[in-house]
């Protein structure tokens, strides 16, 4: 009942000996994630917390442990290289938490990963979690609950808000994917929607977007033509002044494109229920589910 | 980050992009001296501020126009006297205007025609994209709207870079004649190299001109730099002019906070950019008006929260404050302690609404309850927004 990650996931943590990497690797392990390896160049041969083997390269970690998903906490200056290292070693899913990566680095990463079988989530994202089975990232585990709603979001804390609303109302999540707020990232809203649409255990989806770019519009168009599951959405940034960058590099509005109003119109035109405020994301979806949409 | 016109000119010259000869001056005496060095009787004096519409702007001393042609060093000095130290108001500066600390004295080009040429990082294709038009010197948005056929787009392969044939193709599409092909291609190539080498998110030349003598020059250039990449460009970072920025934003950035000042009266302190925007949205939804965007980030310390609070309180328009935290990495007790510390150092004269959720929420709530601070506690996001709008004096 999930997409991309589950009980069988074998995780390698790149940057495991750093303070953030170590802290969150431990949190993931406590949640039940199977962390099989760590990578920090120059620290090969050490054991993290006395049990997880640390390697110098992802290539070795992959050969020695069969890790199939990577979580990256490497500082921004080296993160693009780390993503390509994981992809080059054949790791199937690369989850990059690091924020502040220069956009040109991501442009080159994206071009080099095109056509390869590795998928990228992020960067500048909270990660991915299949509640009760596998947590990869920095989200607080306890707010989640196993269930059947897929959550896709560009923003971290706004995802927690949606998840908490669902959990408090008794609705669990199949998998929650934070795709990240950067202008150039890996998996898009649409990629995640397609996965959830095919997942038998996912019954409905919440799509959380924000101003900038056209990823929400693309997902809306596809949903209109192909998706039979109830979908609710929220777009942050109605009140953002044009031309200003608000935290996420993704959250920039310029030249009248990528506005919240434009995105909301596109989502509504696709038959998606759009929450009026961030406080009603779960309620909007629950109403759609009860209405027996389509 | 943005830079001044004179800095853009210096940067472009480094990459072999032709610009009209010119020099920057900080005093009327310097302006006269620069004009003398440039020679001739075809000069232009331009006020240096980070805003467009300078030519049509007005100084608060009544002097009209931030861009003037002049014919002699003496005249350049007179113009600089009227501009330097004065506040220029344009349609982009807002009513407060910007103080002019420098003027650019340059040779005025005899323009035969004007072209628009920009390179930006296109997020849809995740690659550089060149956008150009024969209709330069005007607002490109208007051209795009009225005659979209006159806008050309040339995508660039992110790994291979701009190819020579593409610069020739663009030159012909932009109606350069065969004799100008080489200089146009060279200029486009130089702009692209500047764009890549300096980690720009946009370089916009408007106008790029052909002079009556047939020279091809970048007359005015606007740069946007990727702030995330400034660490590897100390020369670019050194061009930052904090006098051009909102002092609250400058203060916030010193403490690693992401703050943007707005016009409303409800201050917000939130963790996470998406939630911060959503919080502004819900305040507006319930009839209030946000005074700022403030993201304290994922791992803020007590000190950062205290500093954030000081910045919020310094805004005289603020009638109420909303703290909305969904703790993930950020722990609610850290936020609570930051608020308490701030309240000790700064007199809290407006109502404070606090909504805490997530990691260590109980410890956070307990700290605030025991602090004796007059805090209006909120249960959820909608409750918090309604309470803060009411506290600020109701719907506007």
């Amino acid at each position: 009942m999930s997409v991309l990650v589950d009980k069988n996931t074998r995780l390698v943590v790149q940057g495991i000996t750093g303070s953030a990497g170590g802290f969150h690797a431990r949190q993931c392990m406590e949640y039940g994630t199977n962390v099989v390896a760590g990578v920090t160049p120059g620290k090969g041969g050490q054991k993290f917390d006395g049990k997880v083997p640390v390697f110098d390269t992802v290539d070795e970690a992959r050969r020695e442990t069969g890790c199939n998903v990577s979580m990256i906490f490497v500082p921004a200056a080296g993160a693009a290289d780390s993503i390509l290292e994981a992809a080059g070693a054949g790791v199937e899913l690369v989850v990059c938490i690091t924020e502040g990566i220069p956009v040109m680095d991501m442009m080159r990463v994206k071009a080099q990963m095109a056509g390869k079988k590795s998928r990228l989530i992020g960067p500048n994202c909270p990660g991915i979690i299949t509640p009760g089975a596998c947590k990869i990232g920095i989200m607080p585990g306890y707010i989640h609950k196993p269930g059947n709603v897929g959550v896709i979001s560009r923003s971290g804390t706004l995802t927690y808000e949606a998840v908490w609303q669902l959990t408090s109302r008794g609705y669990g999540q199949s998998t929650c994917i934070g795709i990240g707020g950067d202008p150039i990232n890996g998996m898009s809203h649409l990629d995640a929607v397609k996965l959830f649409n095919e997942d038998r255990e996912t019954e409905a989806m919440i799509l959380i977007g924000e101003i900038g770019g056209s990823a929400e519009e693309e997902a809306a168009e596809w949903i209109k033509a192909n998706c039979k599951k109830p979908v609710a959405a929220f777009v942050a940034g109605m009140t953002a002044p044009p031309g200003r960058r608000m935290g996420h590099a993704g959250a920039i509005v310029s030249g009248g494109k990528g506005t919240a109003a434009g995105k909301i119109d596109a989502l509504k035109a696709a038959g998606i229920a759009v929450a009026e405020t961030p406080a009603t994301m779960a309620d909007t979806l629950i109403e759609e589910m009860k209405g027996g949409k389509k | 980050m943005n830079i001044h016109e004179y800095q853009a000119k210096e940067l472009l010259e480094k990459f072999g992009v032709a610009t009209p000869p010119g020099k920057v001056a900080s005093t009327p005496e310097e302006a006269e001296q620069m004009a003398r060095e440039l020679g001739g009787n075809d000069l232009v004096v331009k006020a240096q501020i980070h805003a467009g519409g300078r030519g049509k702007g007005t100084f608060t001393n009544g002097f009209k126009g931030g861009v003037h042609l002049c014919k002699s060093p003496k005249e350049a000095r007179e113009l600089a006297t009227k501009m330097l130290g004065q506040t220029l108001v344009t349609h982009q500066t807002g009513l407060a205007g910007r103080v002019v600390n420098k003027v650019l004295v340059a040779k005025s080009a005899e323009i035969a025609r004007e072209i628009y040429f920009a390179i930006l990082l296109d997020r849809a294709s995740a690659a550089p994209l060149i956008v150009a038009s024969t209709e330069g010197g005007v607002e490109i948005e208007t051209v795009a709207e009225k005659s979209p056929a006159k806008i050309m787009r040339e995508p660039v392969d992110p790994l291979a870079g701009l190819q020579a044939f593409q610069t020739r193709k663009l030159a012909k599409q932009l109606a350069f004649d065969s004799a100008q092909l080489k200089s146009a291609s060279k200029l486009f190539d130089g702009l692209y190299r500047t764009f890549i080498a300096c980690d720009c998110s946009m370089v916009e030349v408007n106008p790029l001109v052909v002079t009556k003598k047939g020279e091809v020059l970048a007359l005015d250039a606007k740069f946007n730099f990727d702030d995330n990449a400034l660490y590897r460009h100390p020369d670019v970072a050194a061009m930052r002019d904090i006098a051009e920025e909102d002092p609250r934003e400058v203060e916030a950035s010193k403490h690693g906070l992401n703050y943007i000042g707005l016009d409303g009266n409800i201050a917000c302190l939130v963790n996470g950019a998406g939630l911060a925007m959503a919080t502004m949205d819900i305040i507006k939804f319930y009839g209030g008006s946000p005074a700022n965007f403030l993201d304290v980030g994922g791992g803020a310390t007590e000190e950062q929260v205290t500093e954030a609070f000081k910045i919020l309180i310094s805004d005289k328009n603020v009638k109420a404050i909303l703290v909305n935290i969904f703790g993930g990495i950020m722990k609610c007790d850290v936020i609570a302690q930051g608020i308490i510390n701030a309240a000790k150092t700064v007199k809290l004269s407006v109502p404070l609404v606090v909504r805490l959720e997530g990691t260590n929420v109980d410890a956070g709530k307990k700290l605030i309850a025991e602090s004796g601070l007059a805090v209006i506690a909120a249960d959820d996001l909608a409750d918090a927004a309604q309470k803060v709008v009411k506290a600020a004096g109701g719907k506007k």
Side-chain angles (χ1 to χ4, degrees), chain A residues 86-147:
Chain A
V91 171
E92 286 132 54
L93 180 68
V94 184
V95 183
C96 184
I97 310 297
T98 307
E99 65 177 312
I101 302 178
V103 66
M104 288 226 182
D105 291 5
M106 282 312 303
M107 170 183 93
R108 295 183 186 107
V109 164
K110 184 113 182 164
Q112 291 195 50
M113 284 183 79
K116 295 224 173 80
K117 72 177 173 104
S118 295
R119 282 175 185 272
L120 172 66
I121 293 178
N124 187 14
C125 76
I128 176 169
I129 181 169
T130 291
C134 182
K135 168 178 129 88
I136 298 173
I138 58 177
M139 63 290 278
Y142 77 93
I143 62 171
H144 301 82
K145 172 185 150 87

Side-chain angles (χ1 to χ4, degrees), chain A residues 42-118:
Chain A
K43 298 205 172 164
Q46 295 185 5
K47 292 258 190 215
F48 172 75
D49 276 6
K51 52 190 165 192
V52 180
V54 178
F55 298 90
D56 287 316
T57 63
V58 179
D59 182 54
E60 285 172 285
R62 169 107 170 141
R63 276 191 279 115
E64 297 293 324
T65 68
C67 54
N68 58 2
V69 177
S70 165
M71 171 166 81
I72 297 178
F73 277 97
V74 174
D81 179 61
S82 295
I83 295 171
L84 291 175
E85 182 183 4
V91 171
E92 286 132 54
L93 180 68
V94 184
V95 183
C96 184
I97 310 297
T98 307
E99 65 177 312
I101 302 178
V103 66
M104 288 226 182
D105 291 5
M106 282 312 303
M107 170 183 93
R108 295 183 186 107
V109 164
K110 184 113 182 164
Q112 291 195 50
M113 284 183 79
K116 295 224 173 80
K117 72 177 173 104
S118 295

Side-chain angles (χ1 to χ4, degrees), chain B residues 106-118:
Chain B
K107 284 284 232 185
S108 104
E110 269 199 292
I111 298 168
R113 65 188 188 97
E114 299 181 298
I115 288 155
Y116 176 90
F117 192 96

Side-chain angles (χ1 to χ4, degrees), chain B residues 108-344:
Chain B
S108 104
E110 269 199 292
I111 298 168
R113 65 188 188 97
E114 299 181 298
I115 288 155
Y116 176 90
F117 192 96
I119 309 170
L120 51 100
L121 204 57
D122 176 42
R123 43 194 294 175
S125 59
L129 178 69
I130 292 172
V131 178
S133 175
T134 51
E135 310 299 298
V138 294
E139 284 210 8
I140 200 66
E141 290 86 351
T142 316
V143 180
E145 202 179 301
K146 289 189 179 147
S147 33
K150 288 190 169 162
I151 305 270
M152 51 213 76
R153 290 156 185 272
E154 183 71 17
V156 180
D157 184 294
L159 299 179
L162 183 67
Q163 303 300 302
F165 81 87
Q166 292 181 290
T167 64
R168 295 193 295 271
K169 179 178 149 196
L170 277 162
K172 292 310 282 187
Q173 286 176 337
L174 290 167
F176 282 92
D177 64 36
S178 300
Q180 294 161 343
L181 197 63
K182 213 168 182 177
S183 46
S185 288
K186 179 167 180 274
L187 195 147
F188 300 160
D189 181 62
L191 285 172
Y192 184 77
R193 284 186 296 113
T194 316
F195 174 80
I196 294 292
C198 300
D199 271 295
C200 300
S201 45
M202 186 192 74
V203 177
E204 184 184 51
V205 181
N206 192 21
L208 190 163
V209 299
V210 182
T211 66
K212 287 189 175 151
K213 288 182 204 151
E215 302 155 300
V216 185
L217 302 172
L219 204 61
D220 194 0
K222 211 164 144 188
F223 280 82
N224 281 333
F225 297 96
D226 177 4
D227 292 349
N228 288 340
L230 283 178
Y231 74 90
R232 57 190 179 198
H233 303 290
D235 51 332
V236 173
M239 292 182 184
R240 183 173 174 195
D241 181 358
I242 57 167
E244 286 285 333
E245 298 173 24
D246 183 330
R248 295 173 299 179
E249 293 177 20
V250 173
E251 185 62 25
S253 74
K254 270 191 219 160
H255 301 287
L257 299 164
N258 196 346
Y259 175 96
I260 294 176
L262 301 168
D263 301 329
N265 59 11
I266 298 176
C268 334
L269 186 158
V270 189
N271 65 327
L275 189 60
M277 279 193 289
T279 304
M280 290 160 51
D281 293 348
I282 198 167
I283 287 171
K284 192 98 174 179
F285 180 82
Y286 285 114
S289 175
N292 66 278
F293 164 93
L294 173 60
D295 168 17
V296 295
T301 61
E302 268 175 44
E303 290 71 37
Q304 278 176 302
V305 176
T306 307
E307 291 305 327
F309 236 80
K310 286 185 191 163
I311 295 163
L312 293 184
I313 295 172
S314 72
D315 183 345
K316 298 293 167 234
N317 291 328
V318 167
K319 294 275 179 288
I321 299 171
L322 171 59
V323 174
N324 178 28
I325 298 296
F326 205 116
I329 326 174
M330 166 67 77
K331 298 179 182 78
C332 291
D333 51 334
V334 171
I335 287 281
Q337 196 57 55
I339 296 170
I340 296 164
N341 292 352
K344 273 184 203 154

